[in-house]
Amino acid sequence: MPTTPISPSAQPSSAVLTAALYLFVDLPDYAALREPLQALCEAHGVRGMLLLAPEGINGTIAGSPEGVQAVLAWLRSDARLAPLRHKEALGDRQPFYRMRVRLKREIVTLGVPGLQPELHAGTYVKPEDWNALIDDPEVVVIDVRNDYEIGIGSFERAVNPGTRTFTEFPAWVEAERQPGGLLAGQPRVAMFCTGGIRCEKSTALLRSQGFGEVYHLEGGILKYLETVPPTESRWHGDCFVFDERVSVGHGLAPGHHQLCRSCRMPLGAEELASPLYETGVSCPHCHGSRTPEQLQALRERERQMRLAAERGQEHIGARLPSAQPSQPSQPSQSAREAAPAPALPAHLPVLYSFRRCPYAMRARLALAASGQACELREIVLRDKPAALLAASPKGTVPVLVLPEEGGAKVIDQSLDIMRWALQRSDPGGWLQPSTGEDLQAMLALIAECDGSFKQALDRCKYPSRYPGEEAGTPGHAAAWATADGWVMQALEARLGTQAWLFGSHATLADMAVAPFVRQFAGIDAARWEAGAWPRTRQWLAGWQALPLFDAVMGKYPAWREGDAPVVFAPR
């Protein structure tokens, strides 16, 4: 239910109101809402993230109470969004760096098509009735959040599915439905999550599989902590939140955790006191996973942040790992020449990239996963800068220029950039398949993707470029058949018994192939959704739901000679 707004007149002028909101509703025109919503938020000084999809809206925004309420009122003026739920928390600092309204396929990615949470979600249980339900030993209580969130707090008796992303949850349910599993025999189930949105989908998933009694906590953990007195609470620890507060406790008071700016893990008092913790650089979770060069880049970023804080400025030059770069307005040439470039570590590699290019995308993924910071130069392919052509005369992205003694070294093949980065640091084990296969097996699959599949993909997407293979011709149909066949044989078959292409965790192969499958899926969305490759659809949705994917897909203005450098160091 919508929260009663906090009266602005009762708050100091510096108060910052944070509102978390979501609503599952049919929004076929969701894309048309993006620009006016972005403009409205910016006009009222509101920041945060809002996701729009055909299934509804989801996100968190923060700003002055007047500004946030203006945005909420605008949304609810649309009759479809009138039932919009939101939760409020008042603070004294802005938890976000910028405002982004993004278009997505799902407002919370589960990767199971056909679910309609607005019609088939489980039974709501109010916070004041929750204790009685989860105290019943016959009820299976499931925390549907990700493993790192559960690590800092959860309810008594709650089961931790051990998922790293929400897209892994359907596979966990399927495994636990088997004889001897927690869900065998379809017991009564109670689910909970941070604000309630994931439970709407997870309960709809169970109901679609025949579960009769499925319940979820209305308003999620946040509403429970706001409503239930600590003396009556079954909650232990803090609740992780996806903003600069990091965690909250009862009454939504600030929690006891900080965020590691290197690996994004929440840190408690014990971890903050560890000799392995260095502010902005490392913590017990990621200590030892960075090269000396990466550590130097992280320390430089932390130094720049301290300097900005001392000047009373926001640090937006060397981006925070969690922040997604927005599309800033292009400064005038005189402004470019007058603005001094910020100090940048001299050793940083330079990456020439193009946001939507799948080759550049996979190179950015590997660089980000390895923790390798670099100077990012976004390229417009129709107007290639002289510096790019001087580094690599072929003029295609990605190109990585490495400063070395005796002259720069240039790597201008995306797969070589990936392997270079991961050989320096591979904290996610991308070069180590859990299936027991070796690197050569992954490279063979990638070669198929880059060869026959990519050729067919180009013919499917750009038929007019290939004489005799225009749309509707036998040649064009043959291209589709080739692409379809490769997806079925190389991907769908391999994903039959595992979540990722080479086992239980993502590897080099997943990250190198997925950008091209994403491009293939985007040619004809209806055709992709109707294709006989459900496992591949779920795999692609899981890949796109990774925080790392969001981190490398930020928008930057085209680079021009003399521009202030931008550090690319997402994590």
Side-chain angles (χ1 to χ4, degrees), residues 294-322:
Q294 292 161 1
L295 292 174
Q296 183 178 344
L298 289 167
R299 290 184 178 111
E300 173 62 20
R301 184 189 65 188
E302 186 64 21
R303 187 181 75 85
Q304 294 289 345
M305 290 179 67
R306 286 198 302 268
L307 289 173
E310 290 171 4
R311 301 185 190 110
Q313 301 171 338
E314 288 188 275
H315 177 69
I316 58 173
R319 310 280 185 185
L320 289 176
S322 61

Side-chain angles (χ1 to χ4, degrees), residues 166-207:
F166 193 36
T167 55
E168 295 178 1
F169 187 73
W172 180 85
V173 169
E174 183 60 31
E176 294 300 328
R177 290 178 63 200
Q178 305 308 311
L182 284 169
L183 301 178
Q186 298 184 341
R188 298 170 68 203
V189 176
M191 296 181 171
F192 64 92
C193 58
T194 306
I197 185 170
R198 276 178 277 192
C199 290
E200 302 238 11
K201 275 203 167 178
S202 60
T203 56
L205 173 67
L206 261 65
R207 291 192 64 192

